[in-house]
Every structure is written in C-alpha cells, then in structure tokens.
Amino acid sequence: MKYYLLSVMQPVGEPPAPEVLAEIGKNLDRFHQELREAGAWVFAGGLHGPESSTVLRPRDGDVLVTDGPYAEGKEHLGGICLVRAPDLDAALDWGRRAALATTLPIEVRPFMGEAAD
C-alpha cells in the first residue's frame, strides 16, 4: 500500500449556502466512513482560507515571515485527505468519490517512497 494525498481545490469567493454546506458535510461524513471501513483512512481535514496563511521564505541566511498566500489564484487548497491505496487506480477511485462528496475538484498525488505501513 502507498499513501496518496487527495487535495480539495476550493474556489475563491463566497461559500455555498448553509443548506448546501450541510449536505456536503453529510456526504463527506459518509465518504470518510467508507474510507475507514475499507482500511484506507489515514487523515482528513479542512483548511481556513489562504488569507489566514503565513509564508516562511529563506532569505540571506534568515527566514522572512509574511502574511497571506505566496500566490494568488482562482482556487486554493481547501482541505486534504490522506489515504492508503494499493495503486494509483484505487487512489483515483477514492478521488472520484471525494469529488462527488465535495462537489469540488480533487487532485490525487502519490507520496514519494515505497509502501506504507
């Protein structure tokens, strides 16, 4: 088994209406339960918006600390889910399920290295 990161790509702008978010939350709870039952669950969590971030950048032997994202865009990382899967096809299947649960784009990326514990 390998580890795969499922990144939730959140659009910039106002969040959906509370009733829409409530339905997405229910869908995510079901998705996370499926992961647990399949033994694929490792970790998942949502993130605050990019305006809450702090960037640490090496500069001249020191580290420069700045507020906010390092780049502006139409999307930002809104949440992550770390899963265990035997191969990329299985990880992509989990990614498809995550996309349906969140109604958002999901990036699936393998971790470097060999098999997970």
Side-chain angles (χ1 to χ4, degrees), residues 4-8 31 35 77 79-83 91-92 94-95 98 106-109:
Y4 292 87
L5 178 65
L6 310 183
S7 300
V8 180
F31 172 65
L35 285 169
L77 183 61
I80 63 167
C81 183
L82 182 61
V83 300
L92 290 174
W94 288 120
I106 302 294
E107 176 186 324
V108 177
R109 190 183 302 190

Side-chain angles (χ1 to χ4, degrees), residues 9-80:
M9 304 312 298
Q10 178 77 38
V12 172
E14 291 297 315
E19 61 274 7
V20 174
L21 284 177
E23 185 64 26
I24 290 170
K26 289 178 192 174
N27 293 340
L28 275 173
D29 288 343
R30 280 192 294 272
F31 172 65
H32 292 160
Q33 186 58 38
E34 289 176 20
L35 285 169
R36 286 182 182 96
E37 290 171 1
W41 170 266
V42 177
F43 173 82
L47 299 170
H48 289 280
E51 68 281 354
S52 69
S53 67
T54 303
V55 178
L56 306 169
R57 183 174 285 119
R59 173 114 356 120
D60 300 324
D62 200 0
V63 177
L64 177 65
V65 179
T66 57
D67 291 335
Y70 61 88
E72 297 216 7
K74 295 180 182 179
E75 295 178 326
H76 62 270
L77 183 61
I80 63 167

